[in-house]
Amino acid sequence: GGVGQVGGALKGMNTPSILRTTKANALSRGVGVSASRVLIIQNKGGGHGEIGYHLANKLASDGHSVTIMGDPATKLQSLPFSRYGDLKSKGVTTVFADPCDPSSFANLGQFDVVYDNFAKGKDTCAVAADLAKQWGVSHYGYVSSAGMYKPGNLMPMVETLNVKDTAGQKEVEDHLDRMGLPWTSFRPQYIYGPLTNKRDYLDYFFDRVVRGRPVPVAGSGQQLVTLTHAADVAGMMASIIDAGDKAHRQVFNCATDQLITVDTLVALCAKVAGVPTPSIVHYNPKEVQLEKKAFPFRDNHFFVTPDKAKTVLGWQCEHDLEKEVKAYFEGYKAIGKDQKSMDFPIDDVILRQVPMMA
């Protein structure tokens, strides 16, 4: 059935239920290849901030030799960067240097595989791409974004859909292709998990449910989203090394195959926190005057399917949302967010403009 039926199936359900986009079986994992020297170029944080940590952890566990080059502007006291020491025991080397400056690479030697989780346009990938070409890398993995698909597309969004003309990530993909590099692009969507750098996707709900506050939700609340565990993102990215040339010049949506409506996510967060399901206040963001946006998702359906990665790379999603949200909430409490004093000025503006439904 289509999205309408999927959304309808969740209406009126009290218990959190999560749907799967597909039941297709993934291909079995290919025969392992020899150890590679891998360079991960990592940005300073944000929605993709934790990818480098989880990818390095996965690749080192698989026996590869890993170096992370971090942006010098990184706040080292924030997660996951404050935990980079954990990776050292696995043999991961970390340096902080500007990846747009060729001298940053001078003492690092050559690499077999490069993962670029930094570039947002041709200019910011040029140096690494040139070096990768000189080194003759077997893979150049690039972290793009699922946010580049043109809105209003059919759901779930597949890799062949049109993307925004202004997307710097598409410029990077095109540049890597023109250079003849063995590139693979990953388009992640809404990443959560341990050591997450951008906490909004779940904290938005926990911040409110633990304080007994109503939860403002943009849209009907029936819109479906995919929340993907950082280790599943890393697992997909790491799988290209075994996949070989099947991964070359390919784009992969990088997301879970579990779908959940926003209203069900609110109910799940309340259940995990051990509190009653709160009042949910739906609002139309076009009708409510706000100085800035607070709601972490779109107000309509916006989700991708990872079917291509399952078929081509033999990747499988290993983390279950309901189970992982419990672990995430333990982490939320561990950093004291449940006890912290908080104001909700944007909520207050919304609640003044939208009548509370009985």
Side-chain angles (χ1 to χ4, degrees):
V3 160
Q5 282 173 290
V6 170
L10 284 179
K11 278 178 190 159
M13 285 181 128
N14 299 323
T15 52
S17 56
I18 298 167
L19 305 154
R20 291 220 172 249
T21 51
T22 176
K23 292 192 171 64
N25 291 323
L27 298 171
S28 60
R29 194 164 177 266
V31 177
V33 288
S34 58
S36 298
R37 290 200 75 226
V38 183
L39 175 66
I40 300 170
I41 305 171
Q42 172 61 46
N43 67 16
K44 66 180 180 181
H48 299 162
E50 62 274 16
I51 291 175
Y53 177 97
H54 290 279
L55 180 58
N57 192 36
K58 165 74 176 147
L59 291 169
S61 301
D62 287 349
H64 299 291
S65 166
V66 184
T67 298
I68 298 179
M69 177 183 283
D71 183 332
T74 303
K75 290 181 179 148
L76 296 179
Q77 68 279 18
S78 64
L79 288 170
F81 312 109
S82 59
R83 295 284 294 277
Y84 272 17
D86 302 356
L87 297 171
K88 203 172 177 182
S89 63
K90 293 197 165 193
V92 175
T93 303
T94 307
V95 295
F96 288 91
D98 179 3
C100 299
D101 179 351
S103 68
S104 297
F105 299 84
N107 302 318
L108 298 179
Q110 298 202 357
F111 293 91
D112 307 308
V113 177
V114 172
Y115 287 99
D116 182 346
N117 185 27
F118 176 82
K120 291 283 185 273
K122 180 183 156 187
D123 297 348
T124 42
C125 79
V127 170
D130 283 348
L131 285 168
K133 185 82 175 164
Q134 286 172 36
W135 296 332
V137 297
S138 56
H139 293 281
Y140 191 106
Y142 173 57
V143 181
S144 181
S145 171
M148 69 201 282
Y149 291 118
K150 283 188 174 168
N153 282 316
L154 291 170
M155 298 293 149
M157 296 180 290
V158 293
E159 291 85 351
T160 49
L161 287 175
N162 289 335
V163 297
K164 297 170 188 167
D165 303 331
T166 53
Q169 290 94 341
K170 183 71 171 78
E171 187 181 279
V172 175
E173 293 171 2
D174 292 344
H175 179 65
L176 298 174
D177 198 54
R178 276 194 304 271
M179 287 187 70
L181 279 163
W183 64 274
T184 308
S185 179
F186 299 93
R187 295 179 179 167
Q189 187 179 39
Y190 303 137
I191 303 170
Y192 77 99
L195 316 183
T196 187
N197 187 252
K198 184 174 180 178
R199 301 188 56 94
D200 317 19
Y201 305 130
L202 288 171
D203 282 14
Y204 179 88
F205 303 106
F206 281 127
D207 287 349
R208 289 155 179 81
V209 301
V210 300
R211 289 166 180 82
R213 287 188 60 96
V215 180
V217 165
S220 69
Q222 294 302 309
Q223 67 267 40
L224 290 156
V225 295
T226 45
L227 272 165
T228 306
H229 194 280
D232 281 327
V233 173
M236 186 188 293
M237 291 178 65
S239 72
I240 64 173
I241 298 179
D242 280 357
D245 58 8
K246 284 188 298 189
H248 293 163
R249 301 184 69 196
Q250 297 293 328
V251 174
F252 294 100
N253 286 331
C254 197
T256 179
D257 54 7
Q258 292 185 316
L259 293 171
I260 189 167
T261 69
V262 173
D263 280 2
T264 306
L265 184 57
V266 176
L268 174 59
C269 289
K271 179 182 164 188
V272 164
V275 298
T277 301
S279 161
I280 300 174
V281 180
H282 299 112
Y283 67 95
N284 180 344
K286 293 178 186 71
E287 291 174 4
V288 175
Q289 302 299 310
L290 293 175
E291 282 178 29
K292 65 182 226 185
K293 176 179 177 271
F295 189 65
F297 300 109
R298 287 167 170 78
D299 59 350
N300 50 11
H301 289 304
F302 194 79
F303 59 94
V304 298
T305 170
D307 279 0
K308 182 179 172 183
K310 289 178 172 184
T311 307
V312 177
L313 303 175
W315 171 84
Q316 280 178 298
C317 182
E318 293 175 2
H319 294 80
D320 175 72
L321 184 62
E322 185 158 356
K323 204 165 93 189
E324 297 298 340
V325 168
K326 284 179 187 154
Y328 183 96
F329 183 61
E330 292 308 312
Y332 176 91
K333 289 189 291 188
I335 58 171
K337 279 207 78 178
D338 57 329
Q339 302 297 329
K340 214 169 148 188
S341 170
M342 286 187 191
D343 293 319
F344 297 88
I346 297 172
D347 288 24
D348 295 339
V349 171
I350 293 167
L351 296 172
R352 277 200 297 272
Q353 294 181 54
V354 180
M356 292 276 283
M357 305 304 277

